[in-house]
Amino acid sequence: MNISYKSDIIPDAEEVIELFIQAGLKRPTDPERIALMLKNADLLITAWQNDKLVGICRTITDWVWCAYLADIAVFTGFKQSGIGKEMISLTRERIGPQCMLLLLSVPTAFDYYPKVGFNKEDRAFSIERVL
């Protein structure tokens, strides 16, 4: 499987919507909102098989203390191929060792994150979005 990773492009919103839907992530399907989510991210790592987007890792960070891994998605047919793990590794490399990487997990991924180096935390709080 020939996968290339990029951090210098913003993929088309429609491609990302297709990826989120296919990967089973509940995310907005409004192209304008997705485009803004991508544009306003501090770091995007994407995975490509030729010209097809097969994975994305979107991070928001201050680069010196913490980084929030807001989205990680891999096409179902490419799961268990190491793409997610590699995107996380590239993200950690880019944010540096001084940054904590944190995320909120969907229930179906609870078992995945400890396998790729995350610690389970019981001290998080959130206020849900209205829209």
Side-chain angles (χ1 to χ4, degrees), residues 6-129:
K6 300 177 182 180
S7 62
D8 58 347
I9 64 165
I10 297 177
D12 179 69
E14 295 291 344
E15 287 179 292
V16 175
I17 291 168
E18 178 187 355
L19 173 59
F20 285 161
I21 291 169
Q22 205 283 326
L25 284 182
K26 291 185 179 187
R27 295 294 186 271
T29 55
D30 171 19
E32 290 178 27
R33 190 170 183 186
I34 292 291
L36 286 171
M37 288 168 57
L38 298 171
K39 177 184 171 206
N40 292 323
D42 296 303
L43 176 60
L44 286 174
I45 303 290
T46 52
W48 301 84
Q49 184 178 52
N50 301 316
D51 62 350
K52 180 173 181 57
L53 178 69
V54 296
I56 191 165
C57 187
R58 183 176 70 93
T59 304
I60 301 162
T61 185
D62 60 19
W63 301 101
V64 295
W65 182 251
C66 63
Y68 173 61
L69 198 162
D71 298 305
I72 183 165
V74 176
F75 257 97
T76 300
F78 291 83
K79 289 183 178 178
Q80 298 184 356
S81 64
I83 291 172
K85 185 175 184 177
E86 181 64 15
M87 289 189 302
I88 292 167
S89 177
L90 291 168
T91 297
R92 292 188 69 208
E93 183 180 300
R94 291 286 303 276
I95 64 173
Q98 74 279 8
C99 263
M100 173 196 316
L101 184 59
L102 53 103
L103 61 83
L104 295 174
S105 177
V106 295
T108 56
F110 281 174
D111 293 335
Y112 172 72
Y113 291 111
K115 294 176 185 175
V116 294
F118 283 86
N119 299 314
K120 186 174 182 330
E121 295 288 340
D122 294 322
R123 56 187 177 163
F125 299 88
S126 68
I127 298 173
E128 289 296 319
R129 70 191 66 74

